[in-house]
Amino acid sequence: MTSIALAPEPVHAPLPLDLLRQFDVPGPRYTSYPTADRFVEAFGADDYVQALRHRREAGCGASPLSLYVHIPFCESLCYYCACNKIVTRHHEWGRQYLSYLAREVELQVAQLGRNASVAQLHLGGGSPTFLDDAELGELMELLHRSFAFVPGGERSIEIDPRTVDRQRLANLAALGFNRLSFGVQDFDPAVQQAVHRIQPASQVFALMDDARSLGFESINVDLIYGLPRQNDASFGRTLAQVCELRPDRIALYAYAHLPERFKPQRRICADELPDASARVRMLADAITKLTGAGYVYIGMDHFALPDDPLAVAKREGRLHRDFQGYGTRPEGDLIALGVSGIGRVGATYSQNAKSLDEYRDLLDQGRLPVVRGLALSRDDQLRREVIMALMCRGRVDFDAMGEAFAVDFRRYFATEFAALGTLVASGLVRLSDHDLAVTEQGWFLVRAVAMVFDRYCRSNRTRFSRVV
């Protein structure tokens, strides 16, 4: 809705440590606005059905869908994990889960209409590769029977390297997946032991070679800093190995230690966690090493090689952001399937039941398993556009945004403009009469910039991870 401006070019000089420390506060990741903690149970399945019907009535005017399928199962517990997962070695649970996914798909299709166009598919978890090849094939057949996939669209899947080999990767390619994301977190053996995730670096390197030879279009690696037993030297070695591995994309997340909310984290020894200063140094070192190795800083925690579509989209001002993070596809509706899945249809968000028992019970009743969500107000929609413009393009055009929402932008956000002074003084943003632009250094702390315009974030930040 705002005019397109090219995003700042990546910073190759180290980000000042004092700046990182100054803005190391809790804050949302803004895969949505308002964030999921603002969803309410007053929004239920009936509201979601109404949103689906509105989309169907739009007919050919509706843009292609994105699909997200949540597979909650894992064979072993990673102590750092805050995902919605079920740890089990009972693989028969996967087949039963597929039968419930089939019921949910039929209920969705009954409202959407069969063969709605889909441009993007992502399987997440848990560990989607908990399902065997036959089960994944059954899932893909179900989706193809129900939706019309756009040729050349993105089809991605999260991979636990411990659960696949070359043959499994070949089978995934045969099923149509063209993007992979490997969960690495850290290559250091001591750190892996502390978080209960042992996977030799040699295994990941071999799988990377296999994936490339099989023709996958893009391969991502997930890393986490701030884990127990990490230090500057050990994480530096992991970064060097990742640069040697050279994935197309890197997601570098900060570990948020919230044992009161996430039971598995209670198994982590808090005394072994790096302190705040060490975390800041690790982030600064990662920025320096990865950009020095040729990666473009996309925003938030994401890096990509210069010729990757994500880096190209950033240069051309075409980045978008949704529940899967940064992407190249224009904003559109997201249908989420499975336990705890979060979707977006029109000006609404919805979330499925978080427990497997409740999810199955609702489907047994013939009901969509949506248990909470949100219908966005006009203020929510305006602030979402502002925050996404900052997160994706690094610039807000006051006149264009004000015209789109029929408001006097400066007057509407008078409180926010008063709060921008600290960011301007710190060199994170430039403010003119016509726009707000994120600087090169500000791009690394763009969450802190976006938080200024978050009406809900003012009251309670403690439930969020830290910006650094």
Side-chain angles (χ1 to χ4, degrees), residues 6 15 99 114 122 143 166 177 180 192 288 310 341 343 381 383 401 404 413 450 455 457:
L6 300 187
L15 199 64
S99 69
R114 194 164 296 276
H122 183 78
L143 297 177
R166 180 183 175 84
F177 290 101
L180 304 176
Q192 291 184 358
T288 301
L310 206 58
Q381 294 178 62
R383 290 176 185 273
M401 193 72 75
F413 288 109
R455 182 167 62 89
C457 194

Side-chain angles (χ1 to χ4, degrees), residues 33-34 347-349 374-385 405 412 455-456:
Y33 180 84
T348 70
Y349 296 129
L374 190 69
L376 275 66
S377 68
R378 188 70 171 167
D379 178 76
D380 291 336
Q381 294 178 62
L382 170 54
R383 290 176 185 273
R384 178 173 71 179
E385 290 298 323
F405 284 88
Y412 192 94
R455 182 167 62 89
Y456 302 102

Side-chain angles (χ1 to χ4, degrees), residues 319-339:
L319 271 184
H320 296 277
R321 189 163 176 81
D322 60 22
F323 291 108
Q324 273 72 63
Y326 281 109
T328 60
R329 181 177 173 269
E331 283 184 299
D333 292 338
L334 168 67
I335 302 298
L337 304 168
V339 173

